[in-house]
Amino acid sequence: MNVRNITFALAAALSIAACTPKSGMDKYIDDLLSRMTLEQKIGQLNLHSAPGFISAEKVTEEDENAKLLRQGLLGGIYGSGDPELLRQCQEIALSSGAGIPLIFGMDVIHGHETVFPVPLALSTSWNPELVERMARISAKEAAATGINWVFSPMVDICRDARWGRIVEGGGEDPYLGGELAKAYIHGYQGYDDKYDTDEVLACVKHYALYGAALAGRDYNSVFLSRQEAMNGYMDPYKAAAEAGAASYMSSFNEFEGIPASMNEWLMDDVLRKAWGFGGFIVSDATAIAEEVNHGIGDLQEVSARSLQAGLDMDMNSDGYIGTLKKSLEKGRITEADIDRACRRILEAKYKLGLFEDPFRYFSKDRYAAEVYSEENRAAAREMARECQVLLKNNGILPLPASARVAVVGPLAKNAMAMTGTWALSSRRNESITLWQGISEVVDASYAEGSWLFKDAHLEENVRYGLYKAFVPGFQIPPIHPVSQEAMIAEAVAKARRSDVVIACVGEVPNLNGEGSSRVDISLPDAQQELLKALKATGKPVVMVLVTGRPLTLVWEDKAMDAILNVWSPGTEGGHAVADVLFGKANPSAKLTTTFPRSVGQLPLYYNHKNTGRPHPDTADYKKFVSCYIDEINAPLYPFGYGLSYTSFTYSDLRLSASEMPMDGSVTASVTVTNTGSCAGDEIVQLYIHDIYATSTRPVKELKGFQKVHIAAGQSVQVDFTLTAEDLSFYNHDLEWVCEPGDFEIMIGSSSRDVQGTTLRVQ
Ligand code: NOJ
C-alpha cells in the first residue's frame, strides 16, 4: 500500500471514529474551546524557554515570560528543572486568562539528574530493554521536579560522523533505530495514553531527516529522494508513532525545497495520515522564524504556512502569537486552523491530568526519594558497562588489579566528559571521572599529559564556546597556561615508572552535540602527540576513548595495545569504565555507526548500494571502478563491530525452508559458540539482501538482532523468524512491497563478518 493508499484507509477509519460518541476528553475540550478567546487559543500555541535557562533566575515582574503568562499567552515553558520556578509559572498561568495549566518541557535526553551514557552509546548496547529502563528512570526523575514533557527520543538516522549531533541518536541503521525508538517511548510514557505521575510525554525529534544534513554541517539542507528517505531514514519516526508517541518536534532542515517545519507532506501526509499520529507537533527552537532565512516569506507568511501544514506549537519564534491574528483577519488562515492546533495541545494536557491537578507532577517526597538516588546511580553504572565498545585488544585487557598504572590524558579528570552533551539538569560536575574510577581499583599515578588542541583559538572555542554564546561578558580563562612539552614530559616520566599506561583521550562534550560539526574527525592533534610520546616509552598503552562520534583512528589502531571506546558514559562513568578495564564486566557493545578510515570517505555506512561498478572493500585502487586513489573503500571499524574478552564462532547457518510463500514465514538459525575462557554476551545480527528488485537495494540491511549470554565453552542456537514484511521496501512509487525472487540471508557478529544462504520468496 503506498502512502496515498494508506491515507485513504486511514480516512475511512477516521470517518467511523467521527460517528462514535464523543469521549469525555472531547466534550471537555469542546467546552473549553468555546469559552476561550482567540488570543487565549493562540497563546496555547506558544512555547518559550524558561527564564533563567542558563542563570537560574526566578520569575520576576519584569520577566518577559511572566508578562506573557499573565496575559495567558504561553501554552508551555521548557528548559528549567527548577521546581520552584516551574511552580511559580504554573500559579501565574492558572490565575490568568483562561486559567489553563502550562505544560513543562525539558531536554531530558540521557537522564535527568542521574545521567546515563549518551544516546549513541546507549544504542551500542543493542538492548531495547536497557533503553526503556533508562527512559523510565529519566521520566521518574524529571516528573518529580514538575516536568511532564521530555524532548526525547532523538531518532535521526545519521551516516556522516562530521555531524556533531550524531551523538544524540541511535546510529545509522533504520531498523535498530526503530526498535530503540519504541523502547524510549514506552520508557517515558508507559504503554497507554493515561499518564501516571511518573510518566511523561515523549517528543520525537527532529522530524524529519535532520541527520542527513549535507556535509555533516549542522542545520544544513537535506537532499534526499522520498524513496531514499522512506527506506533509509523514516523507520524510527514511524516506529515511535506506532508506539504511541505523544508529540513530535519538527526539524530545522528543508526537505524537497520546503522547510520541515512547514512541510505538509512530512507532517500531514506521512506522520498524521499514513502513520496515524494523533498528538501535537512543536517546532524546534526558533525554527518558524528561521523559515524567513530559508527564503519563504516574512514571519507572518511562514507562520501561516507552518500552521496550515500541521505545526501546532511555536517554540521561541513568537511567529504564532505575533502574526496569526493578523493572518486570520486577512483571511490567510481560518479559526479552524487555530482551533485544530489548540485542541491537540489541550488534549495532551488533558491526558497528562493537568486539568484535574495542575501540580500533580510536583512532589518534594518523590524528588527526595527518587532523584539521583543510589539505586538510579547503580543502574547508570550497570548500563554504562554495557555501552562500551572494545575496538582493539592485543590481549592486555582486562588488566590485573596488581598493575601499576599511569593514568594520563586531558580527559582523565574531566567530569563533564563523562556527563556528555545535553545534560541540562544533571549534576554535571559530580560525574565519576576516569581517574576516580581507576584509582579506586589500582595503584595509580596521574598526569594531564597534553592540551586538547595545539591551536589555542580552537581550544578556546571548544572549551568555552557555549559560555561565549550565552553568557554576556564571560571572561575566558588563560588558554594553554602550561606548555605542551612540559605536560608530555610529566606524562612520559610517570609512564616510565608504571607497568601500563591508560591514556584518557578524545572529545570533550562541546566537541560534539548541537552546533559542533567537525571537518577533521581525527583525535585532536595535541592528544595525538601525547599518544606518540607514550608509545615511544615502550610501555603498553591502553587508550580509553571518550567520544560522541566515530573518529578516524588508523594510527591509533596500529599503535595502541587496546582501545576501549567508552563514549560519554554518564554519572557513574569512571566506575563503569574501571569495571571493564579490570575485568569486573566483559564488554559486549557493538558499533551502531561506521568508523571511517578517513573523513574523505564520508558519508560512509554499511547499508549502501552496490553501484554499477562495485569494488571490493579492501581491494587496492583500480581505475574506472567505484573507489578512491588514496584510500580503500573499507571502514576502519564496521557497523555492528565490537570485541569481547572472550571469542565467539558462528556455525551451521540454516533456514527452516529454502522457499517461502509471500504469506508464510521461515526461521533462520545459527549456532554460536563461546570459544574463549570466560562468559560473555554476543550480539547476533541478521542481515538481508534483495538480489534483484525493481529499485536498487542496499548490499545489506539489518532485519534482526539478539543479545545472548553464553558461558565459556557453551553453544546456543539463535533463531530469527522472517516474513515478507522483513523483506519489504518502498518501491519507486512509494508502495511498500515484497518482490518475489531470491534474497541473501546473512547472520554474523558484525556487518563485515557474516555467513549467508539464499531464500527464494514466491
Ligand atoms: C534545539 C535542539 O535542536 C532541540 O533538540 C532541543 O530540544 C531544543 N533546542 C530545545 O532545547
Side-chain angles (χ1 to χ4, degrees), residues 1-8 274 730-731 733-736:
M1 187 156 36
N2 69 19
V3 171
R4 268 190 317 273
N5 293 342
I6 299 171
T7 306
F8 295 140
Y730 288 96
N731 69 11
D733 295 327
L734 294 190
E735 292 160 334
W736 178 245

Side-chain angles (χ1 to χ4, degrees), residues 49 53 78-79 106-107 109 151-152 154 165 168 205-206 210 218-219 249-250 252 283-285 315-316 422 424 514:
S49 54
F53 187 62
Y78 78 94
M106 182 76 184
D107 282 287
I109 308 292
F151 296 161
S152 172
M154 191 280 220
R165 304 199 78 173
E168 293 176 55
K205 65 192 193 184
H206 304 82
Y210 180 37
D218 210 356
Y219 319 117
M249 186 185 292
S250 69
F252 290 123
S283 77
D284 201 341
M315 188 195 301
N316 275 2
W422 275 124
L424 295 180
E514 185 173 352

Side-chain angles (χ1 to χ4, degrees), residues 231-487:
N231 283 318
Y233 291 81
M234 295 294 259
D235 272 9
Y237 305 115
K238 178 169 184 263
E242 286 166 358
S247 71
Y248 277 67
M249 186 185 292
S250 69
S251 52
F252 290 123
N253 54 283
E254 65 166 90
F255 175 62
E256 297 184 318
I258 311 287
S261 300
M262 57 163 62
N263 195 308
E264 197 171 333
W265 185 76
L266 286 174
M267 290 189 286
D268 215 39
D269 292 351
V270 177
L271 179 57
R272 292 191 194 283
K273 296 194 178 118
W275 299 343
F277 169 66
F280 71 100
I281 307 178
V282 62
S283 77
D284 201 341
T286 65
I288 295 181
E290 290 170 27
E291 290 165 349
V292 177
N293 296 341
H294 279 284
I296 298 291
D298 62 10
L299 189 61
Q300 183 168 342
E301 171 59 17
V302 296
S303 300
R305 262 184 80 169
S306 299
L307 181 75
Q308 287 182 325
L311 186 77
D312 305 307
M313 198 175 217
D314 167 2
M315 188 195 301
N316 275 2
S317 288
D318 287 346
Y320 283 4
I321 53 163
T323 70
L324 287 188
K325 195 171 170 203
K326 272 185 254 157
S327 292
L328 181 64
E329 284 159 7
K330 290 203 159 153
R332 175 70 182 80
I333 60 168
T334 65
E335 190 153 358
D337 292 329
I338 294 170
D339 283 2
R340 187 180 55 235
C342 185
R343 176 181 291 277
R344 290 179 185 141
I345 292 158
L346 296 176
E347 281 175 356
K349 294 181 175 183
Y350 184 96
K351 288 177 186 166
L352 282 170
L354 296 180
F355 290 113
E356 277 168 48
D357 176 4
F359 296 96
R360 73 192 285 259
Y361 279 90
F362 295 91
S363 165
K364 285 197 174 133
D365 291 347
R366 288 205 321 264
Y367 183 86
E370 285 172 14
V371 175
Y372 207 67
S373 64
E374 273 191 30
E375 197 187 332
N376 292 355
R377 279 180 285 144
R381 180 171 182 166
E382 208 183 293
M383 291 184 210
R385 286 168 167 176
E386 213 179 313
C387 299
Q388 298 171 45
V389 191
L390 183 60
L391 295 173
K392 176 174 182 190
N393 188 12
N394 67 6
I396 191 165
L397 291 180
L399 296 170
S402 56
R404 283 178 311 146
V405 171
V407 179
V408 300
L411 300 190
K413 285 195 175 175
N414 188 325
M416 269 306 287
M418 300 294 97
T419 309
T421 189
W422 275 124
L424 295 180
S425 41
S426 68
R427 305 191 192 187
R428 52 187 74 100
N429 297 321
E430 287 178 36
S431 292
I432 305 295
T433 63
L434 295 168
W435 163 253
Q436 280 171 286
I438 295 166
S439 60
E440 277 175 26
V441 181
V442 280
D443 180 15
S445 61
Y446 165 77
E448 187 176 348
S450 80
W451 302 331
L452 295 179
F453 286 97
K454 297 183 82 166
D455 177 342
H457 181 63
L458 183 53
E459 177 134 355
E460 178 185 308
N461 277 340
V462 169
R463 284 192 190 274
Y464 305 111
L466 200 62
Y467 300 90
K468 280 172 39 180
F470 283 113
V471 185
F474 176 77
Q475 290 298 310
I476 296 161
I479 304 293
H480 297 165
V482 180
S483 79
Q484 167 86 344
E485 292 70 27
M487 291 171 92

Side-chain angles (χ1 to χ4, degrees), residues 107 122 148 164 167 212 225 300 341 365 367 389 394 410 436 444 577 604-605 628 675 749:
D107 282 287
L122 290 169
N148 41 36
V167 63
S225 68
Q300 183 168 342
D365 291 347
Y367 183 86
V389 191
N394 67 6
Q436 280 171 286
V577 172
L604 189 66
Y605 47 100
Y628 300 100
T675 49
S749 62

